[in-house]
Amino acid sequence: MNNITKFSTLALAAAMAFTGCIKETQPTTVVTSDAVAQSSTAVEAMVNAIPVAEALPYSVYGSGQNRGFDFGLPGIMCATDAATGDVVGTSGDANSGYNWFWFFEVGTRLNSNAYVSSFTWYCYWNFIKSCNDIISIVVDPQTDDMKAFLAYAKANRAALYLDLARSFDPLENNYTDVSKVKGLTVPLITETTTEAEARNNPRLPRQEMFDFIFSDLDAAEQLLTGNSHSAGKDVPSLAVVYGLKARAYLWLGGFDSSNYAKAAEYARKAIDTSGATILTEAQWLDPKTGFNTPNNSWMWYVPQSPEGVTNLVNFVAWRSCEATWGYGQLVQQGVHVNFYNRISDTDWRKRAFIGPDPDAWYEANTDISNFNAANFGVEKFSDYFSPYATVKFRPANGETLDYKSGNPTSICMMRVEEMILTEIEALAYTNPAEAAAKLVAFVQTRDPQYMLAATSTEAVVEAAIWQKRIELWGEGIVFYDMKRLNYSIETGYPGTNVATDSRINTDGRAPWWNFVIPEAEVIQNTILKDTNNPEPSDLIPNWVEE
């Protein structure tokens, strides 16, 4: 079995002598000083530190623990993608022991007393604290700069709570009984929450949580509208605020269909306000800048700081099979056979995945490959790359040998294509014919031969989500769609390329898509004791071919 699973699940108790929510309420002399509150330079430094911190390695457990998935929000993106079954290790059984995201693929070590499940929880609360610190000192901003800084903190906090709410929202599934906790999200910690309040802090009902998220986004929208402050895409712009509203309304549409109209409305606002344009084939497949550098499509990103680079625990080291220093070269993340085969051969996005014959794929795609036999220490392409592995995410400037140069990239958090597909799906619930026409127009920019005969809402939605799974593959987005729409994992079947210990088939949602609150948190905030989500681990056996 995987060597990484031998770690004790009791390590959490020793490693976490604190509780995530409660820890975040502790003030410091820096963030409470009047001097900082009056200094736009000091506040700006705090704002600029947030996106850098969100991609730092060892953000939860520390370098001494060396947890391979512990690299902030990009690590969570990789974890949720693995949980869908769309992103798999393609190296087969040979190197499956290196796959730190295997836990999320198969639903193991994700119970409340397991260290793996605590990763997302503590990660989010660390970043929420940073937002709360800024919000607590920028009380009455008078200048455009200070208004913008407050807006960035509120929009960031809303984005973090949105992810938490969607991850912990216990949706019905065929494996666990969520009736006792239905509609609950997570506790709410703001800039005014005291330690005493945090120690008796129940899970907020869904609507109340989303009311809070929208209040933060409304405030950010008001602060940014007409604001002259200039900033880069590493902070949430007004367009991103609209995009976050679109994400939130899309989730709520699953409980009240009237929200889909709002999802479409705000997706369109995000598109129009951003001025962004969709990626071209050349940009998508660029061997030096592909999905590692901000461009005309990206609306928001987090940077990988050179100061925080390690050879193993970061986004490139995992996502890029071309990086010769990371786990990525061993696990070779990519797609399973059925996923690959479903992508049309006339769709140029398919070129981002190596075909069933790697050498033949290389001969046909040398223009988009960074492969050099001497640099990679092999004789031919297939000696290094697995069938169905990806070349979507490139090391910085195409650097395949030096991790210090190749790892510092930017990780996209939102791009305009997501908003286009969000608008299409949301529109399909009221006007499937118009949505289908918009979907055809979009997909034909990737596959000129694409046609869609579907006319029903269900069929158009499925077609839109499939395109979203291709378009945003590996970008940490579609987990929430698959959970929302009760999709299944289907990686076990005759001819699959997935490792034998990772072949999972579910009937609808996987139980581990309803995240659980860590035991260490429940000990500190005892009101959560009887309102945690059901334990989800090890409920579905691996598929075994007969």
Side-chain angles (χ1 to χ4, degrees), residues 77 159 162 233 236-247 266 270-271 274 276 295-302 411-419 472 475 477:
M77 292 161 60
L162 178 57
K233 294 181 180 180
S237 65
L238 181 59
V240 170
V241 171
Y242 291 145
L244 292 170
K245 285 189 174 184
R247 287 180 181 176
Y266 280 102
I271 296 165
S274 71
N295 53 47
N296 54 288
S297 161
W298 289 20
M299 298 166 60
W300 188 23
Y301 73 91
V302 295
I411 299 101
C412 185
M413 300 294 289
M414 183 185 292
R415 58 185 174 98
V416 72
E417 291 88 345
E418 177 197 350
M419 293 297 107
L472 301 173
E475 299 180 47
I477 300 296

Side-chain angles (χ1 to χ4, degrees), residues 84-134:
T84 67
D86 283 359
V87 178
V88 300
T90 66
S91 62
D93 290 349
N95 290 309
S96 62
Y98 293 99
N99 188 0
W100 277 91
F101 294 100
W102 170 80
F103 304 108
F104 304 94
E105 284 185 36
V106 303
T108 191
R109 304 296 201 275
L110 296 177
N111 283 339
S112 59
N113 65 348
Y115 74 89
V116 180
S117 63
S118 67
F119 165 59
T120 52
W121 181 264
Y122 290 104
C123 218
Y124 280 120
W125 291 112
N126 285 341
F127 304 142
I128 286 172
K129 179 189 186 306
S130 299
C131 298
N132 283 340
D133 287 344
I134 295 169

Side-chain angles (χ1 to χ4, degrees), residues 46-365:
M46 294 172 66
V47 169
N48 291 339
I50 291 177
V52 174
E54 286 177 337
L56 287 177
Y58 309 121
S59 56
V60 171
Y61 303 99
S63 58
Q65 296 294 324
N66 193 30
R67 310 301 193 198
F69 48 70
D70 185 10
F71 48 98
L73 290 187
I76 294 175
M77 292 161 60
C78 291
T80 56
D81 277 335
T84 67
D86 283 359
V87 178
V88 300
T90 66
S91 62
D93 290 349
N95 290 309
S96 62
Y98 293 99
N99 188 0
W100 277 91
F101 294 100
W102 170 80
F103 304 108
F104 304 94
E105 284 185 36
V106 303
T108 191
R109 304 296 201 275
L110 296 177
N111 283 339
S112 59
N113 65 348
Y115 74 89
V116 180
S117 63
S118 67
F119 165 59
T120 52
W121 181 264
Y122 290 104
C123 218
Y124 280 120
W125 291 112
N126 285 341
F127 304 142
I128 286 172
K129 179 189 186 306
S130 299
C131 298
N132 283 340
D133 287 344
I134 295 169
I135 295 167
S136 69
I137 62 175
V138 186
V139 178
D140 185 23
Q142 298 299 311
T143 67
D144 274 2
D145 286 351
M146 293 296 271
K147 288 178 181 178
F149 300 151
L150 179 58
Y152 301 150
K154 283 184 172 288
N156 256 304
R157 183 170 71 176
L160 295 165
Y161 271 118
L162 178 57
D163 282 358
L164 277 170
R166 293 182 295 176
S167 298
F168 285 85
D169 195 344
L171 302 191
E172 293 179 351
N173 62 89
N174 291 319
Y175 305 94
T176 59
D177 179 7
V178 300
S179 59
K180 294 182 179 179
V181 290
K182 196 171 181 179
L184 297 180
T185 60
V186 297
L188 180 65
I189 296 287
T190 73
E191 71 279 9
T192 63
T193 305
T194 66
E195 181 173 343
E197 290 170 337
R199 290 184 180 276
N200 188 38
N201 198 6
R203 298 175 67 180
L204 215 59
R206 182 190 302 119
Q207 191 57 56
E208 290 183 35
M209 174 57 75
F210 276 82
D211 286 345
F212 174 79
I213 291 169
F214 285 125
S215 71
D216 262 359
L217 293 175
D218 288 343
E221 179 181 356
Q222 182 177 1
L223 290 162
L224 291 174
T225 299
N227 194 308
S228 64
H229 178 79
S230 178
K233 294 181 180 180
D234 58 342
V235 293
S237 65
L238 181 59
V240 170
V241 171
Y242 291 145
L244 292 170
K245 285 189 174 184
R247 287 180 181 176
Y249 280 118
L250 194 65
W251 181 264
L252 292 177
F255 312 100
D256 179 353
S257 61
S258 66
N259 287 297
Y260 288 128
K262 285 288 189 180
E265 173 190 345
Y266 280 102
R268 175 45 53 183
K269 284 186 175 182
I271 296 165
D272 293 342
T273 305
S274 71
T277 56
I278 64 174
L279 291 173
T280 64
E281 179 179 4
Q283 289 175 305
W284 184 292
L285 300 172
D286 192 295
K288 291 187 176 182
T289 62
F291 290 92
N292 65 25
T293 303
N295 53 47
N296 54 288
S297 161
W298 289 20
M299 298 166 60
W300 188 23
Y301 73 91
V302 295
Q304 174 69 70
S305 169
E307 290 74 25
V309 161
T310 70
N311 64 322
L312 295 177
V313 186
N314 55 68
F315 191 75
V316 169
W318 269 105
R319 278 292 192 250
S320 178
C321 300
E322 294 175 318
T324 58
W325 55 81
Y327 286 117
Q329 62 159 325
L330 299 169
V331 177
Q332 304 251 323
Q333 290 191 327
V335 294
H336 59 88
V337 174
N338 282 354
F339 189 103
Y340 178 85
N341 288 342
R342 187 178 173 185
I343 304 174
S344 170
D345 289 340
T346 55
D347 188 331
W348 50 255
R349 294 173 299 185
K350 195 169 188 174
R351 297 179 70 200
F353 303 103
I354 295 168
D357 182 340
D359 291 321
W361 179 92
Y362 176 65
E363 289 301 317
N365 293 279

Side-chain angles (χ1 to χ4, degrees), residues 336-518:
H336 59 88
V337 174
N338 282 354
F339 189 103
Y340 178 85
N341 288 342
R342 187 178 173 185
I343 304 174
S344 170
D345 289 340
T346 55
D347 188 331
W348 50 255
R349 294 173 299 185
K350 195 169 188 174
R351 297 179 70 200
F353 303 103
I354 295 168
D357 182 340
D359 291 321
W361 179 92
Y362 176 65
E363 289 301 317
N365 293 279
T366 54
D367 60 318
I368 64 167
S369 176
N370 286 307
F371 176 71
N372 178 292
N375 288 345
F376 282 73
V378 296
E379 293 185 1
K380 60 183 186 296
F381 190 82
S382 61
D383 290 336
Y384 184 92
F385 290 94
S386 302
Y388 311 107
T390 188
V391 292
K392 177 177 177 178
F393 301 94
R394 308 301 185 131
N397 202 37
E399 173 58 59
T400 62
L401 298 178
D402 178 15
Y403 78 88
K404 292 183 179 180
S405 299
N407 270 341
T409 65
S410 298
I411 299 101
C412 185
M413 300 294 289
M414 183 185 292
R415 58 185 174 98
V416 72
E417 291 88 345
E418 177 197 350
M419 293 297 107
I420 292 171
L421 289 164
T422 295
E423 181 187 39
I424 290 169
E425 185 203 341
L427 182 61
Y429 294 103
T430 56
N431 192 334
E434 183 181 353
K438 285 179 176 288
L439 183 61
V440 170
F442 171 73
V443 179
Q444 284 185 348
T445 66
R446 278 84 175 97
D447 177 6
Q449 296 185 30
Y450 181 78
M451 299 296 292
L452 180 63
T455 57
S456 69
T457 291
E458 182 179 15
V460 175
V461 167
E462 199 284 329
I465 294 297
W466 170 242
Q467 291 302 323
K468 199 172 188 180
R469 291 166 72 180
I470 302 172
E471 181 73 29
L472 301 173
W473 182 91
E475 299 180 47
I477 300 296
V478 299
F479 165 78
Y480 305 105
D481 298 305
M482 293 179 68
K483 177 177 177 178
R484 171 172 57 88
L485 295 170
N486 198 24
Y487 276 29
S488 301
I489 301 172
E490 300 174 351
T491 59
Y493 50 85
T496 185
N497 60 320
V498 177
T500 54
D501 63 355
S502 304
R503 298 173 180 177
I504 293 292
N505 295 328
T506 65
D507 179 13
R509 298 181 185 95
W512 56 92
W513 291 359
N514 296 328
F515 289 15
V516 295
I517 300 172

